[in-house]
Amino acid sequence: MFSLGGRQQTGPRLDVYAQTVEQMLLNLGIDPGQARMNTQEGYGWSFRRGSAIIEVYVTQNGGVGYLQVLAPILHLPMQGLLPLYRRLLEMNLQLTNAAFGVYLDVVYIFNERPLDGLDAVEANQIINTVAQYADDLDDKLLEEFGGRLYTRI
């Protein structure tokens, strides 16, 4: 959905970064084989953290590689969008190393960072930060504004 590029070898070696992500997933107790997603371009994984779904992508755009960590947390409510949008913007100033965004009818917490200079410690911190925010804030936003949790059908 948010994939930015392919497995071209003109830029960074995406497979090296993908191996790093898979090792981090193992360290978190997640089977990378089960978490792996079929993506048209790059690499992707999806796993649960508490009540939230976490998606991790290693992608490329124009020869630049990116790590993207996304957590779809809430389907937008049918009404009261302006107060929700305002709250999300206010909360963006309080989040560290993550931000809220909306795509179609879903609220996401996300982080995107170029692969250049990224090490395993920082990637692990990004994944854990987004996962923690998603797990902590999904129910709070649902209670305050309504809508439907992304993880509920």
Side-chain angles (χ1 to χ4, degrees), residues 28-114:
L28 293 171
I30 297 162
D31 179 354
Q34 289 183 348
R36 200 172 296 126
M37 296 187 305
N38 290 327
T39 60
Q40 290 182 333
E41 303 167 344
Y43 299 86
W45 303 265
S46 178
F47 60 94
R48 295 284 300 241
R49 175 77 172 268
S51 60
I53 294 173
I54 311 304
E55 299 173 0
V56 180
Y57 298 95
V58 173
T59 61
Q60 186 169 265
N61 182 23
V64 177
Y66 293 91
L67 173 72
Q68 296 176 307
V69 182
L70 306 161
I73 59 171
L74 184 72
H75 288 278
L76 292 172
M78 297 300 288
Q79 54 190 4
L81 290 179
L82 187 58
L84 171 61
Y85 290 154
R86 181 181 177 104
R87 180 77 170 116
L88 294 176
L89 286 172
E90 290 170 348
M91 291 173 73
N92 270 344
L93 287 176
Q94 299 170 357
L95 299 179
T96 301
N97 216 18
F100 283 104
V102 175
Y103 181 74
L104 300 177
D105 77 331
V106 178
V107 175
Y108 287 82
I109 296 178
F110 72 97
N111 177 296
E112 180 177 86
R113 183 212 188 281

Side-chain angles (χ1 to χ4, degrees), residues 51-52 73-75 77 83-84 87-88 91 94-95 100 107 109 131-152:
S51 60
I73 59 171
L74 184 72
H75 288 278
L84 171 61
R87 180 77 170 116
L88 294 176
M91 291 173 73
Q94 299 170 357
L95 299 179
F100 283 104
V107 175
I109 296 178
Q132 187 66 49
Y133 281 141
D135 190 34
D136 289 347
L137 298 174
D138 57 356
D139 291 316
K140 291 176 184 176
L141 289 169
L142 177 68
E143 183 178 314
E144 189 173 347
F145 297 101
R148 181 172 45 91
L149 287 180
Y150 185 83
T151 55
R152 292 195 189 140

